[in-house]
Amino acid sequence: MNKTPIMERVRKNYIKRKTMLKTTFHGQTKIYRITGKDRVKFYESITVADIEALPVGSSTLSVFTNENGGIIDDTIICKHADSLYVVSNAGCADKDLAHIRAQLKAFQDKGGDVDLKIIDDHQLIAIQGPKAAQVVERLAEKDLRSLPFMDARNMTIKGIDVHVARSGYTGEDGFEISVPNKDAVEFTKLLLADPSVELAGLGARDSLRLEAGLCLYGNDLDETITPVEAGLTWTIGKRRRAEGGFLGAAKIQDQLKNGVSKRRIGLLIEGAPAREGVKIFSPSGELVGSITSGCPSPSIKKNIAMGYVANGFHKSGTQLEVEVRGRKNKAIVTKMPFTPAGYHKV
């Protein structure tokens, strides 16, 4: 008898209450450092972020766009005094690098002063959950209450030089810590020595990010979907909305002004869980969209999902149906996140 589905739900709920340690060893993320006096101007030409207005030490979620305004990938940009520290998905690394390098060459050919370095001698370790700060504070012997979510610092912890970003993709408070390769195993053991910390994989992280209403590239985002359609308009700085200057700006500015034909939504679903690719119908039987992510929620004990529907069917409270294994089940559009966020604020 296969007990995996039940045990996974129990484990995920346990991890939600405790502190989750996700170790990322070459495969889940890619780290870059962008230098040169024109680094902000260059990165604003390939993302929608207002990096100029970003305070030193702060980070922002952004997206790379193509000429049609579609999302090439999502990324985290941290602004340091001498560089930009950028984290993106390793699964898109080849595509991202080809795109960035092509744009970089064109920018440099016009006299731009900017350079890119791949940081391949570090690993990224993510520790997430309500007790994450206590764990890191004990190791660092520092009070981190003044460090808000999405800010970062260079620190030395137990003699190891690390880059500590208060960030993560679970909806919880936590940290993504960049550690030199030679120290990664030792640092992981230091974290695991705390009884409130457990190792967790991407399955647990995926249920948490969906509960938090966060998109997964390749499921909820791709090169045919714009930030406006994805409900990520907030990633486009006010100045960037007005000035443009990034790939696909004309398309995105038009959508901001005139609206879009489809919208990303959250759904609460009766019956069996609705997974990626499941069709969404209106009560009258009209096909109006499809699911991009879905799972049973360990926290609210309901089946939740995210997807895209035609404009007009996106409002909270709208009754819809999803077709799972040939059977149509009731679904209702609901606001996201499905569970309250636990981000640390100062």
Side-chain angles (χ1 to χ4, degrees), residues 99-163:
H99 172 72
I100 295 169
R101 283 175 170 159
Q103 299 299 318
L104 180 65
K105 184 179 185 305
F107 190 87
Q108 290 171 332
D109 287 347
K110 294 178 182 178
D113 178 10
V114 64
D115 199 9
L116 174 149
K117 179 185 178 183
I118 300 172
I119 302 176
D120 55 8
D121 59 352
H122 281 60
Q123 309 288 351
L124 196 66
I125 298 172
I127 177 167
Q128 302 282 290
K131 297 181 180 179
Q134 297 173 28
V135 173
V136 177
E137 283 179 335
R138 281 195 288 267
L139 279 179
E141 299 178 341
K142 287 182 172 63
D143 185 340
L144 298 177
R145 285 177 295 181
S146 63
L147 183 67
F149 202 72
M150 295 303 285
D151 272 23
R153 294 177 186 170
N154 290 307
M155 299 171 59
T156 300
I157 299 179
K158 298 298 182 183
I160 300 171
D161 292 329
V162 295
H163 181 271

